[in-house]
Amino acid sequence: MNPILHPSCDPEHDARCAPRRGAVSALLGAALWVSPAVVNGQPTPTPAPDAPPAVANGQPTPAPAPESGFFFGGVGRVVAATDAEMGPGRDADIVLRGSRLDESTYIQMDLERQDHWESTGATTRVAVRLVVDGPTLHYNNARPWNINMSVRNAFVEERDLGVKGLSVWIGSRLYRGDNAELLDFWPLDWLNTLGGGVRYDLPSKRTYVAAHAGVNRPLSPYYLQTVERPPALNQPGVANVNLLDRQRLISSLKVSHTVPVGEKGGVKGVLYGELHQLPSGTRETAEAGVVERLPHDSGYVVGAQISPFTGVDNGHLHLFLRYAGDLAAYGEFGSPTQPAPDGTATGARELLFTLSGNYETGPLGLMAAGYVRSFRNASEPFDFADLDEGILLVRPHLYLRDWGGVAVEASYQAQRRGRVPPPAEPLAAGAHPAASHHSASLVRLGLVPFLNAAGKGDFKRPQFRFIWLVTRRDEGAKALYPQDDVFSQRAWEHFIGLNVEWNIKASPAF
């Protein structure tokens, strides 16, 4: 995007700017007003909903009712970085999910209202999440003022209405499970839909079953095509008509069970599945007035997770296995650019194995993550879009004090793509010879001194960091970038900057 610079935009006298300032000020003011109380740098504790009931005179006492009120939270990071030549610091990963250290500025704000209703015993939560992407005004001075903002959550959830342990939600929701922290993604279940879901927790609190169904419609010609047509009743001009307008219906089912081990540890197991459905539709071709029929399409996901955990200092190991077939292989927002001969995504597939873990002892901590991914599109030939890739990343921490220390991050990334087509003009600058496949790899080493205001712990936030990443690309990795991109010219890459991350939970009962 090339923003229009407008230095003359004055919030005091220009109506185009003033409403934005007022809206942002109101939002931040409300957020500060509803924030939970803080003691010694930590939010005041609230009773854990799954804690065993207290006992008095041999009889269990009722658990305290969930707190009612407004709550503010959020997740975010702000990054200021440069390369070795004072250019902008850029993400240098060559895999789909790489290190989060060189990701860009991202701000997520959660505003929630929680209420416990004594007449029914139910608890409700209204959740709204706003997400803002960089760059910020302080970086590009874009005028008129603008913001890259979207609504990530807008839903209402109730718990224990009529049936203890049953919860129901309806709305627009980012719906997901456990993540791979260092890679900043959710390998098993990560859905964005408008819909609803139910979940039932057994009385033991060790087992639950969750189901969901929702729709989305990406802004892609595979889902939506708007054409110009004459208006109704011979009116002048033209009217826009959605000739192709189809939504993807996604349903999911998840079963989770935890087996206790020792006093605090355990092993969690998860089984997971999805079904994707897309109706048929009609789309106009490049030749005006000629239409083509797009067939009904479908897909599926099956997956599993095993997660042993210690229950102390966030010690855990997540192991995820996920297989997606047909339409689902392209992801929830994806479109088959190279379909099967019948025009569907039949035959496309993605296999993903991911691990993520953390262990802490004394002044030492070790975080690790990695995955291996294989993707094949619906077309039969082994082409450039067919991909095998993987990454292994480790980040050991040494705490010199409870409030700070030094981390080192090391990673190896590799990918192998299918056939490289012959160049349209073999003698043109930047032309790459045809090949049966293309391989690329890089290694990276980073030095990360950090400060933890909340104390020792690999997951404690906010965390203040100085980052120096050094990346070494091979020739195959350089070839992944277009001509004149500096990444296509440099084997060595530096990312030097400041980074801060925070993570504040909003509602304490959900």
Side-chain angles (χ1 to χ4, degrees):
M1 181 181 68
N2 294 321
I4 299 175
L5 302 181
H6 201 309
S8 63
C9 181
D10 183 355
E12 296 295 332
H13 302 97
D14 192 332
R16 295 173 299 176
C17 301
R20 292 182 174 86
R21 184 189 64 172
V24 173
S25 298
L27 176 62
L28 294 179
L32 291 174
W33 181 75
V34 301
S35 297
V38 173
V39 177
N40 295 329
Q42 294 292 331
T44 53
T46 54
D50 297 340
V55 177
N57 299 324
Q59 297 294 326
T61 59
E67 182 180 356
S68 294
F70 283 98
F71 300 91
F72 175 72
V75 176
R77 61 179 170 268
V78 175
V79 182
T82 180
D83 61 17
E85 299 180 6
M86 290 299 294
R90 289 172 53 189
D91 187 338
D93 296 307
I94 61 171
V95 294
L96 181 64
R97 304 293 179 185
S99 169
R100 64 189 299 156
L101 284 181
D102 55 0
E103 291 180 333
S104 58
T105 295
Y106 171 90
I107 302 167
Q108 173 182 300
M109 296 174 288
D110 293 322
L111 183 60
E112 300 186 3
R113 170 69 192 192
Q114 179 175 294
D115 291 282
H116 178 71
W117 309 95
E118 294 185 1
S119 60
T120 62
T123 302
T124 58
R125 172 174 61 142
V126 180
V128 176
R129 172 175 293 171
L130 298 179
V131 174
V132 181
D133 271 333
T136 64
L137 173 68
H138 303 88
Y139 185 75
N140 62 12
N141 194 33
R143 302 295 181 98
W145 288 359
N146 58 56
I147 189 168
N148 299 323
M149 177 183 286
S150 63
V151 177
R152 197 66 184 270
N153 276 338
F155 67 90
V156 180
E157 182 175 11
E158 65 79 15
R159 178 180 289 178
D160 300 333
L161 180 60
V163 179
K164 190 72 172 178
L166 179 66
S167 60
V168 178
W169 66 268
I170 294 177
S172 174
R173 185 171 187 177
L174 172 58
Y175 193 59
R176 60 192 182 185
D178 293 319
N179 73 333
E181 176 69 16
L182 288 182
L183 304 178
D184 197 18
F185 87 113
W186 285 252
L188 185 62
D189 47 337
W190 188 4
L191 291 173
N192 296 268
T193 64
L194 280 79
V198 297
R199 169 172 163 165
Y200 179 67
D201 288 76
L202 271 63
S204 66
K205 301 296 184 180
R206 298 174 184 169
T207 305
Y208 71 82
V209 179
H212 137 272
V215 296
N216 61 31
R217 189 198 63 186
L219 296 177
S220 158
Y222 194 70
Y223 299 89
L224 178 67
Q225 184 189 47
T226 302
V227 298
E228 293 184 348
R229 292 292 187 264
L233 301 175
N234 304 320
Q235 296 302 300
V238 295
N240 290 326
V241 177
N242 290 340
L243 184 62
L244 177 67
D245 192 354
R246 52 182 186 168
Q247 300 179 130
R248 184 191 293 207
L249 172 63
I250 304 175
S251 55
S252 68
L253 178 65
K254 182 177 184 179
V255 180
S256 175
H257 178 67
T258 299
V259 178
V261 177
E263 294 184 1
K264 298 181 179 180
V267 178
K268 180 171 72 172
V270 176
L271 295 176
Y272 180 73
E274 295 174 11
L275 289 177
H276 295 230
Q277 297 288 331
L278 188 65
S280 59
T282 300
R283 181 173 62 186
E284 190 172 70
T285 66
E287 184 178 352
V290 178
V291 298
E292 62 178 343
R293 188 71 175 170
L294 297 180
H296 168 273
D297 214 345
S298 62
Y300 62 94
V301 172
V302 292
Q305 171 186 344
I306 295 292
S307 297
F309 60 92
T310 65
V312 178
D313 294 331
N314 284 305
H316 68 272
L317 175 64
H318 294 319
L319 300 173
F320 305 94
L321 182 63
R322 185 181 192 271
Y323 181 84
D326 302 338
L327 181 62
Y330 294 88
E332 65 202 290
F333 292 130
S335 304
T337 55
Q338 294 166 293
D342 63 358
T344 70
T346 302
R349 56 201 181 275
E350 180 192 52
L351 179 63
L352 177 67
F353 173 73
T354 309
L355 64 85
S356 176
N358 179 68
Y359 180 73
E360 300 174 31
T361 178
L364 301 177
L366 176 64
M367 303 178 74
Y371 74 81
V372 177
R373 172 177 175 258
S374 179
F375 172 80
R376 297 293 182 270
N377 62 33
S379 63
E380 293 183 3
F382 186 54
D383 54 44
F384 189 73
D386 295 324
L387 171 69
D388 297 320
E389 66 171 11
I391 178 174
L392 179 62
L393 187 153
V394 295
R395 188 193 295 177
H397 296 74
L398 172 62
Y399 290 88
L400 304 176
R401 296 288 188 273
D402 283 349
W403 44 263
V406 179
V408 176
E409 181 172 291
S411 68
Y412 174 76
Q413 307 177 22
Q415 65 162 256
R416 182 178 185 270
R417 291 187 170 273
R419 185 180 67 90
V420 178
E425 299 182 17
L427 300 180
H432 194 281
S436 61
H437 67 275
H438 181 80
S439 299
S441 65
L442 63 79
V443 292
R444 170 180 288 175
L445 186 65
L447 181 66
V448 188
F450 63 89
L451 300 175
N452 275 8
K456 186 170 73 70
D458 294 348
F459 284 81
K460 292 288 183 69
R461 300 294 183 269
Q463 188 174 79
F464 299 80
R465 304 167 178 149
F466 170 80
I467 299 173
W468 181 18
L469 298 176
V470 181
T471 301
R472 176 64 167 87
R473 302 184 185 90
D474 66 6
E475 291 299 317
K478 292 164 62 178
L480 294 173
Y481 299 93
Q483 182 184 0
D484 293 333
D485 189 313
V486 293
F487 279 12
S488 71
Q489 303 165 359
R490 298 197 295 234
W492 291 93
E493 194 68 41
H494 295 262
F495 182 96
I496 306 167
L498 301 175
N499 170 303
V500 62
E501 279 193 350
W502 63 92
N503 189 342
I504 306 170
K505 182 175 171 59
S507 175
F510 284 80

